[in-house]
Amino acid sequence: MDVPVRILAISGSLRAGGANNAVLDAARRLAPPGVEITHYAGLRALPAFDPDLDTIAGDALPQEAAQLRAAVGRADALLLSSPEYAHGIAGAFKNALDWLVGSVEFPGKPVALLNASAHAVHAHAQLVEVLTTMNARLVPEASIVVHVGGRSVAGRPFDGPAVAADAALGGALRGALRALCDAVASRAR
């Protein structure tokens, strides 16, 4: 590839050692040549969404929200992973999505969902609903549950390097990344 594919990875987990962060770190480690995966690290700093600050002029937009939108704008695709809390999307992650609703950078962006727990079906379903409403271009072939032998990564002592080194997990993540890159290429045509 002459121009690198830029993918922004956003984890809905604030836990440094969380399974969602491990899966996204593994994806970054497994990125093929010509694919650059950058981790968004500003989730904790985002203020609570306030529609009064999300004006058409953009003059009241908090700096953290503007930085998130700029990062999304620079990306060719998004790689998202969120834990499930109380049968729903993690609050900090939903807050980030709320800041993107009024943005021009997000609609039509190819998005892959990586689910680190086979049991997190409610959050996954909510993410699909929210992202569809936000006009994301969900890539089903790139959206996978990352698990080992029928068990998810969640609850296992796996970090990014271990997930990347695991033959089954690494293969699944490589396939998801190929599918996401294919979606980016088809969008460019």
Side-chain angles (χ1 to χ4, degrees), residues 29-83:
R29 293 169 183 277
L30 296 169
V35 176
E36 174 185 295
I37 299 178
T38 304
H39 177 78
Y40 171 72
L43 192 66
R44 187 180 307 267
L46 276 173
F49 176 70
D50 181 346
D52 288 337
L53 300 178
D54 193 7
T55 64
I56 292 173
D59 54 347
L61 191 67
Q63 178 181 0
E64 298 85 356
Q67 290 169 344
L68 170 62
R69 288 180 178 184
V72 169
R74 286 188 300 272
D76 298 307
L78 302 178
L79 192 57
L80 308 178
S81 186
S82 178

Coordinates of all heavy atoms in Angstrom, one line a residue, residues 29-83:
R29 N -0.4 -4.9 17.4 CA 0.8 -5.7 17.2 C 0.7 -6.6 15.9 O 1.7 -6.9 15.3 CB 1.0 -6.6 18.4 CG 1.4 -5.8 19.6 CD 1.4 -6.7 20.9 NE 1.6 -6.0 22.1 CZ 2.8 -5.6 22.5 NH1 3.9 -6.0 21.8 NH2 3.0 -4.9 23.6
L30 N -0.5 -6.9 15.5 CA -0.7 -7.8 14.4 C -1.0 -7.1 13.1 O -1.2 -7.7 12.0 CB -1.9 -8.8 14.7 CG -1.6 -9.8 15.8 CD1 -2.9 -10.5 16.2 CD2 -0.5 -10.8 15.4
A31 N -1.0 -5.8 13.1 CA -1.4 -5.0 11.9 C -0.4 -5.3 10.8 O 0.8 -5.4 11.0 CB -1.3 -3.5 12.3
P32 N -1.0 -5.6 9.6 CA -0.1 -5.9 8.5 C 0.7 -4.6 8.0 O 0.3 -3.5 8.4 CB -1.1 -6.3 7.4 CG -2.4 -5.7 7.8 CD -2.4 -5.6 9.3
P33 N 1.7 -4.8 7.2 CA 2.5 -3.7 6.7 C 1.5 -2.7 6.0 O 0.6 -3.2 5.3 CB 3.4 -4.3 5.7 CG 3.6 -5.8 6.2 CD 2.2 -6.1 6.8
G34 N 1.7 -1.5 6.2 CA 0.9 -0.5 5.6 C -0.4 -0.1 6.4 O -1.2 0.7 5.9
V35 N -0.5 -0.7 7.5 CA -1.6 -0.4 8.4 C -1.1 0.1 9.7 O -0.3 -0.5 10.4 CB -2.5 -1.7 8.6 CG1 -3.6 -1.4 9.6 CG2 -3.1 -2.2 7.3
E36 N -1.6 1.3 10.1 CA -1.1 1.9 11.3 C -2.3 2.0 12.3 O -3.4 2.6 11.9 CB -0.6 3.3 11.0 CG -0.3 4.2 12.1 CD 0.1 5.6 11.6 OE1 1.1 5.7 10.9 OE2 -0.7 6.5 11.9
I37 N -2.2 1.4 13.4 CA -3.3 1.4 14.4 C -2.8 2.3 15.6 O -1.8 2.0 16.2 CB -3.7 0.0 14.9 CG1 -4.2 -0.9 13.7 CG2 -4.7 0.1 16.0 CD1 -4.5 -2.3 14.1
T38 N -3.6 3.3 15.9 CA -3.3 4.2 17.0 C -4.4 4.1 18.0 O -5.6 4.0 17.7 CB -3.3 5.7 16.5 OG1 -2.4 5.8 15.4 CG2 -3.0 6.7 17.5
H39 N -3.9 4.0 19.3 CA -4.9 3.9 20.4 C -5.3 5.3 20.9 O -4.4 6.1 21.1 CB -4.2 3.1 21.5 CG -5.0 3.0 22.8 ND1 -6.1 2.1 22.8 CD2 -5.0 3.6 23.9 CE1 -6.7 2.2 24.0 NE2 -6.1 3.1 24.7
Y40 N -6.6 5.5 21.0 CA -7.1 6.7 21.5 C -7.0 6.6 23.1 O -7.6 5.7 23.7 CB -8.5 7.0 21.1 CG -9.2 8.1 21.8 CD1 -8.8 9.4 21.5 CD2 -10.2 7.9 22.8 CE1 -9.4 10.5 22.2 CE2 -10.7 9.0 23.4 CZ -10.4 10.3 23.1 OH -10.9 11.3 23.8
A41 N -6.3 7.6 23.7 CA -6.0 7.5 25.1 C -6.8 8.6 25.9 O -6.5 8.8 27.1 CB -4.5 7.6 25.4
G42 N -7.7 9.3 25.3 CA -8.3 10.4 25.9 C -9.7 10.2 26.6 O -10.4 11.1 27.0
L43 N -10.1 8.9 26.7 CA -11.4 8.6 27.2 C -11.7 9.1 28.6 O -12.7 9.7 28.8 CB -11.7 7.0 27.1 CG -13.1 6.6 27.4 CD1 -14.0 7.0 26.2 CD2 -13.1 5.0 27.5
R44 N -10.7 8.9 29.4 CA -10.8 9.4 30.8 C -11.0 10.9 31.0 O -11.7 11.4 31.8 CB -9.6 8.9 31.6 CG -9.7 9.1 33.1 CD -8.4 8.6 33.8 NE -8.2 7.2 33.5 CZ -8.6 6.1 34.2 NH1 -9.3 6.3 35.2 NH2 -8.3 4.9 33.8
A45 N -10.4 11.6 30.0 CA -10.4 13.1 30.1 C -11.6 13.8 29.5 O -11.8 15.0 29.7 CB -9.1 13.6 29.4
L46 N -12.4 13.0 28.8 CA -13.6 13.6 28.1 C -14.6 14.1 29.2 O -15.0 13.3 30.1 CB -14.3 12.6 27.2 CG -13.7 12.5 25.8 CD1 -14.4 11.3 25.1 CD2 -13.9 13.7 25.0
P47 N -15.0 15.3 29.1 CA -16.1 15.8 30.0 C -17.4 15.1 29.6 O -17.6 14.6 28.5 CB -16.1 17.3 29.8 CG -15.6 17.5 28.4 CD -14.6 16.4 28.1
A48 N -18.3 15.2 30.6 CA -19.7 14.6 30.3 C -20.3 15.4 29.1 O -20.1 16.6 29.0 CB -20.6 14.8 31.5
F49 N -20.9 14.6 28.2 CA -21.5 15.2 27.0 C -22.5 16.3 27.4 O -23.4 16.1 28.3 CB -22.2 14.2 26.2 CG -22.9 14.8 25.0 CD1 -22.2 15.3 23.9 CD2 -24.3 14.8 24.9 CE1 -22.8 15.9 22.9 CE2 -24.9 15.4 23.8 CZ -24.2 15.9 22.8
D50 N -22.5 17.5 26.8 CA -23.4 18.6 27.1 C -23.8 19.1 25.7 O -22.9 19.8 25.0 CB -22.7 19.6 27.9 CG -23.6 20.8 28.3 OD1 -24.6 21.0 27.6 OD2 -23.2 21.6 29.1
P51 N -25.0 18.9 25.3 CA -25.4 19.4 23.9 C -25.3 20.9 23.8 O -25.2 21.5 22.7 CB -26.8 18.9 23.8 CG -27.3 18.5 25.1 CD -26.1 18.2 25.9
D52 N -25.3 21.7 24.9 CA -25.2 23.1 24.8 C -23.8 23.5 24.4 O -23.5 24.7 23.9 CB -25.5 23.8 26.2 CG -27.0 23.8 26.5 OD1 -27.8 23.7 25.6 OD2 -27.3 23.8 27.7
L53 N -22.8 22.6 24.5 CA -21.4 22.9 24.1 C -21.1 22.4 22.7 O -20.1 22.7 22.2 CB -20.4 22.3 25.1 CG -20.5 22.7 26.6 CD1 -19.5 22.0 27.4 CD2 -20.4 24.2 26.7
D54 N -22.1 21.7 22.2 CA -21.9 21.1 20.8 C -22.7 21.9 19.8 O -23.7 21.5 19.3 CB -22.3 19.6 20.8 CG -21.9 18.9 19.6 OD1 -21.1 19.5 18.8 OD2 -22.3 17.7 19.4
T55 N -22.2 23.1 19.6 CA -22.9 24.1 18.8 C -22.5 24.0 17.3 O -21.4 23.5 17.0 CB -22.7 25.5 19.3 OG1 -21.3 25.8 19.1 CG2 -23.1 25.7 20.7
I56 N -23.2 24.5 16.4 CA -22.9 24.5 15.0 C -21.6 25.3 14.8 O -20.7 24.9 14.0 CB -24.0 25.1 14.2 CG1 -25.2 24.2 14.2 CG2 -23.6 25.4 12.7 CD1 -26.5 24.8 13.5
A57 N -21.4 26.4 15.5 CA -20.2 27.2 15.3 C -19.0 26.4 15.9 O -17.8 26.7 15.4 CB -20.3 28.5 16.0
G58 N -19.2 25.6 16.8 CA -18.1 24.8 17.4 C -17.2 25.6 18.4 O -16.2 25.1 18.9
D59 N -17.6 26.8 18.7 CA -16.8 27.6 19.5 C -16.9 27.2 21.0 O -16.0 27.6 21.8 CB -17.2 29.1 19.4 CG -18.7 29.3 19.6 OD1 -19.5 28.4 19.6 OD2 -19.1 30.5 19.7
A60 N -17.8 26.4 21.4 CA -17.9 26.0 22.8 C -17.5 24.6 23.0 O -17.5 24.1 24.2 CB -19.4 26.2 23.3
L61 N -17.1 23.9 22.0 CA -16.7 22.5 22.1 C -15.5 22.3 23.0 O -14.5 23.0 22.8 CB -16.4 21.9 20.7 CG -16.3 20.4 20.6 CD1 -17.6 19.7 20.8 CD2 -15.8 20.1 19.2
P62 N -15.6 21.5 24.0 CA -14.4 21.3 24.9 C -13.2 20.8 24.1 O -13.4 20.0 23.1 CB -14.9 20.2 25.9 CG -16.4 20.4 25.9 CD -16.7 20.8 24.5
Q63 N -12.0 21.1 24.5 CA -10.8 20.8 23.7 C -10.7 19.2 23.6 O -10.3 18.7 22.6 CB -9.6 21.3 24.5 CG -8.3 20.9 23.8 CD -7.1 21.5 24.6 OE1 -7.2 22.1 25.6 NE2 -5.9 21.2 24.1
E64 N -11.1 18.5 24.7 CA -11.0 17.0 24.6 C -11.9 16.4 23.6 O -11.5 15.5 22.9 CB -11.3 16.5 26.0 CG -10.3 16.9 27.1 CD -10.7 18.2 27.8 OE1 -11.7 18.9 27.3 OE2 -10.0 18.6 28.7
A65 N -13.1 17.0 23.5 CA -14.0 16.5 22.4 C -13.5 16.9 21.0 O -13.7 16.1 20.1 CB -15.4 17.1 22.7
A66 N -13.0 18.1 20.9 CA -12.4 18.5 19.6 C -11.2 17.5 19.2 O -11.1 17.2 18.0 CB -11.9 19.9 19.6
Q67 N -10.4 17.1 20.2 CA -9.3 16.2 19.9 C -9.8 14.9 19.5 O -9.2 14.2 18.6 CB -8.4 16.1 21.1 CG -7.6 17.4 21.4 CD -6.9 17.4 22.7 OE1 -7.2 16.7 23.6 NE2 -6.0 18.4 22.9
L68 N -10.9 14.4 20.1 CA -11.5 13.1 19.8 C -12.0 13.2 18.3 O -11.7 12.3 17.5 CB -12.6 12.7 20.7 CG -13.4 11.5 20.3 CD1 -12.6 10.2 20.2 CD2 -14.6 11.3 21.2
R69 N -12.7 14.2 18.0 CA -13.2 14.4 16.6 C -12.1 14.4 15.6 O -12.2 13.9 14.5 CB -14.1 15.6 16.6 CG -15.4 15.4 17.3 CD -16.3 16.6 17.2 NE -17.6 16.3 17.8 CZ -18.6 17.2 17.8 NH1 -18.5 18.4 17.2 NH2 -19.7 16.9 18.4
A70 N -11.0 15.2 16.0 CA -9.9 15.3 15.0 C -9.2 13.9 14.8 O -8.9 13.6 13.7 CB -8.9 16.3 15.6
A71 N -9.1 13.1 15.9 CA -8.5 11.8 15.7 C -9.4 10.9 14.9 O -8.8 10.2 14.0 CB -8.3 11.2 17.1
V72 N -10.7 11.0 15.1 CA -11.6 10.2 14.2 C -11.5 10.7 12.8 O -11.5 9.9 11.8 CB -13.0 10.3 14.7 CG1 -14.0 9.7 13.8 CG2 -13.2 9.6 16.1
G73 N -11.4 12.0 12.6 CA -11.3 12.5 11.2 C -10.0 12.1 10.5 O -10.0 11.9 9.3
R74 N -8.9 11.9 11.2 CA -7.6 11.5 10.6 C -7.7 10.0 10.3 O -6.9 9.5 9.5 CB -6.5 11.8 11.5 CG -6.1 13.2 11.6 CD -4.8 13.4 12.4 NE -4.9 12.9 13.8 CZ -5.3 13.7 14.8 NH1 -5.7 14.9 14.6 NH2 -5.3 13.1 16.0
A75 N -8.5 9.2 10.9 CA -8.6 7.8 10.7 C -9.4 7.4 9.5 O -10.3 8.0 9.2 CB -9.2 7.1 12.0
D76 N -8.9 6.3 8.9 CA -9.7 5.7 7.8 C -10.8 4.8 8.3 O -11.7 4.5 7.6 CB -8.7 5.0 6.8 CG -7.7 5.8 6.2 OD1 -8.0 6.9 5.6 OD2 -6.5 5.5 6.4
A77 N -10.6 4.3 9.5 CA -11.5 3.3 10.0 C -11.3 3.3 11.6 O -10.3 3.8 12.1 CB -11.3 1.9 9.5
L78 N -12.3 2.8 12.2 CA -12.3 2.7 13.7 C -12.4 1.2 14.1 O -13.1 0.4 13.5 CB -13.5 3.4 14.3 CG -13.6 4.9 14.0 CD1 -14.8 5.5 14.6 CD2 -12.4 5.7 14.5
L79 N -11.6 0.9 15.2 CA -11.6 -0.4 15.8 C -12.1 -0.2 17.2 O -11.4 0.4 18.0 CB -10.2 -1.0 15.7 CG -10.0 -2.5 16.0 CD1 -10.8 -3.4 15.1 CD2 -8.5 -2.8 15.8
L80 N -13.3 -0.7 17.6 CA -13.9 -0.4 18.9 C -14.0 -1.7 19.7 O -14.4 -2.7 19.2 CB -15.2 0.2 18.7 CG -15.3 1.5 17.8 CD1 -16.8 2.0 17.7 CD2 -14.4 2.6 18.2
S81 N -13.8 -1.5 21.0 CA -14.0 -2.7 21.9 C -14.5 -2.1 23.2 O -13.9 -1.2 23.8 CB -12.7 -3.4 22.1 OG -12.9 -4.6 22.9
S82 N -15.6 -2.6 23.7 CA -16.2 -2.1 25.0 C -16.6 -3.2 25.9 O -17.2 -4.2 25.4 CB -17.4 -1.2 24.7 OG -17.9 -0.7 25.9
P83 N -16.3 -3.0 27.2 CA -16.9 -4.0 28.1 C -18.4 -3.8 28.3 O -18.9 -2.8 27.8 CB -16.1 -3.7 29.4 CG -15.8 -2.2 29.3 CD -15.6 -2.0 27.8

